[in-house]
Amino acid sequence: MHTLLLASLLTFLAACASTPAPPIGPPQVPGQVSSADWEQDMQRFAAADAVTPPPKHALLFIGSSSIRFWDTLATDFPGLPVINRGFGGSEIRDSTWYADRIVVPYAPRQVLIYAGDNDLASGRSPVQLRDDFRRFVARVRHDLPRVKIAYISNKPSPSRAHLLAAQRKANSLIRQDIATMANVQFIDIFTPMLDAQGRPREELFGEDRLHMNPAGYELWTRVVAPYLSADRSIPVTDP
């Protein structure tokens, strides 16, 4: 019996030794980033910067697809230098992870971030969003201690109406946290995007009922404009 078991074990080990190693799979996503695909966006930004270096001390808009698709950003705020570094589908933590590539090198006078509803849709909680934004501020301020930061609130969209309660909670938590921070502002675009019944305004969205149409961006322009820093002399780093 023992001889038979030993023979079987030796046969199994020999088969394992002759079996080729399984192929290497796709890159593993670090815990701090929601998708490895964002590396392609970072390379696209770097290529664009190499061709046309962006202005220093500009207004930097970063975040998810609501920023990426803001094609009229430069003309919506005439006379103000702007940089668009939105990458669709991203979450707050992704902008934190890539801050050394899409925030710090630009030395902006102000950073405006829109991210959050993708986070909630992927299962993150309002408390996690609050904590993620805290980490974003801390990461940016590590290299740019005096830069102004503005958080554009979660937007209500018809396709994600089931997230309205979570969005309200996340917006409230982040707003309360911002009240304790210096040079950080909360921009409420949630409230003006609701109708009289408290539902997302359909006329502000495209066919997918998630991304905004020109009317949606016109509303954002009116709401965001008063928060923009026009003073290019504001130092963003310590001398």
Side-chain angles (χ1 to χ4, degrees):
M1 173 65 83
H2 291 294
T3 302
L4 180 61
L5 288 175
L6 179 60
S8 298
L9 178 60
L10 291 174
T11 301
F12 173 75
L13 292 174
C16 290
S18 63
T19 302
I24 298 175
Q28 295 298 306
V29 179
Q32 297 89 339
V33 69
S34 70
S35 173
D37 292 341
W38 307 145
E39 178 59 30
Q40 300 176 24
D41 293 274
M42 298 305 117
Q43 294 179 14
R44 174 170 56 85
F45 295 147
D49 292 345
V51 174
T52 307
K56 294 291 186 181
H57 310 305
L59 304 173
L60 174 63
F61 288 77
I62 65 173
S64 59
S65 56
S66 292
I67 298 297
R68 180 178 182 180
F69 294 145
W70 200 341
D71 297 329
T72 58
L73 192 60
T75 56
D76 287 341
F77 304 113
L80 295 174
V82 299
I83 302 171
N84 187 322
R85 287 297 175 264
F87 47 116
S90 63
E91 301 179 8
I92 296 174
R93 54 192 167 142
D94 300 322
S95 290
T96 305
W97 181 250
Y98 290 114
D100 61 328
R101 298 168 71 176
I102 58 171
V103 180
V104 176
Y106 302 132
R109 75 177 86 164
Q110 185 177 18
V111 179
L112 298 101
I113 178 172
Y114 176 79
D117 60 305
N118 289 328
D119 314 43
L120 294 172
S122 72
R124 292 184 79 75
S125 70
V127 171
Q128 285 177 307
L129 262 66
R130 189 268 318 277
D131 293 345
D132 288 344
F133 182 68
R134 283 181 182 174
R135 295 185 184 101
F136 173 78
V137 173
R139 171 63 190 90
V140 172
R141 288 278 168 79
H142 179 268
D143 289 287
L144 306 172
R146 302 176 66 182
V147 68
K148 290 187 175 182
I149 298 173
Y151 180 77
I152 302 174
S153 73
N154 279 264
K155 77 177 189 299
S157 59
S159 69
R160 290 179 173 172
H162 61 289
L163 294 177
L164 286 177
Q167 289 178 327
R168 286 191 176 93
K169 182 64 174 178
N171 286 338
S172 177
L173 289 173
I174 294 173
R175 187 173 206 159
Q176 292 172 24
D177 223 36
I178 286 176
T180 68
M181 301 177 181
N183 287 327
V184 184
Q185 297 173 303
F186 180 89
I187 303 177
D188 178 19
I189 52 84
F190 183 88
T191 303
M193 295 185 75
L194 297 174
D195 62 20
Q197 287 72 45
R199 298 172 302 202
R201 294 168 56 186
E202 294 273 359
E203 73 273 15
L204 301 176
F205 294 87
E207 293 183 0
D208 64 2
R209 304 174 74 235
L210 174 62
H211 298 103
M212 294 180 294
N213 59 24
Y217 283 109
E218 288 176 8
L219 183 151
W220 273 39
T221 300
R222 293 195 303 272
V223 174
V224 170
Y227 293 89
L228 299 183
S229 172
D231 186 358
R232 298 193 67 172
S233 67
I234 295 175
V236 296
T237 58
D238 288 334

